[in-house]
Amino acid sequence: IPSALAGLVAVAASMALAGGKGALGAAIGTVVVIAFFAISVLAVSYASRISAQAMFAAAIFSYIFKIFAMFAMVIAFEGVTAWNPKAFAWSVIALTLVWIGAEIRATVKAKTFYVDPEPSAGQGP
């Protein structure tokens, strides 16, 4: 949600600074960031049900996939003039920072037990 809201701000700012091509670049950047991070969240969430090792593997492989996908996008869209590449790049950087900040905040606010609050059946005094 914070990245989507920041994406709206990025589109509006890019529209004001670079016109329609800037707004399109920021909108595409917003979609790319949300899609890339959503892939990681879904992969790691699914893998966390299996094991900690699967969760780690899902995080690493989704990261590697995103790196290669970003390289492919940079190569594929190298000469595109339909949108403003600077608006795209700055929106990707800004929205990535917003997403990471929101994840840090959610992690800090989460109540994660470091001990079992209730002993399992058959355990205890």
Side-chain angles (χ1 to χ4, degrees):
I1 293 174
S3 291
L5 295 174
L8 293 174
V9 172
V11 169
S14 296
M15 179 69 153
L17 295 172
K21 287 185 177 187
L24 181 60
I28 293 170
T30 300
V31 170
V32 166
V33 169
I34 290 174
F36 274 30
F37 279 106
I39 288 169
S40 293
V41 168
L42 292 173
V44 171
S45 295
Y46 177 75
S48 69
R49 296 183 199 138
I50 299 169
S51 71
Q53 291 84 4
M55 186 172 68
F56 178 74
I60 294 298
F61 287 123
S62 68
Y63 178 75
I64 291 169
F65 168 77
K66 290 186 296 186
I67 294 292
F68 285 122
M70 188 58 75
F71 283 144
M73 286 177 59
V74 167
I75 291 168
F77 299 129
E78 184 176 357
V80 173
T81 60
W83 66 76
N84 186 320
K86 286 185 180 181
F88 172 81
W90 283 110
S91 65
V92 166
I93 292 168
L95 293 172
T96 298
L97 293 174
V98 168
W99 187 289
I100 292 170
E103 277 191 341
I104 290 170
R105 184 178 186 277
T107 301
V108 168
K109 293 281 188 177
K111 294 183 180 184
T112 305
F113 294 115
Y114 55 91
V115 295
D116 192 5
E118 294 182 26
S120 300
Q123 295 181 355

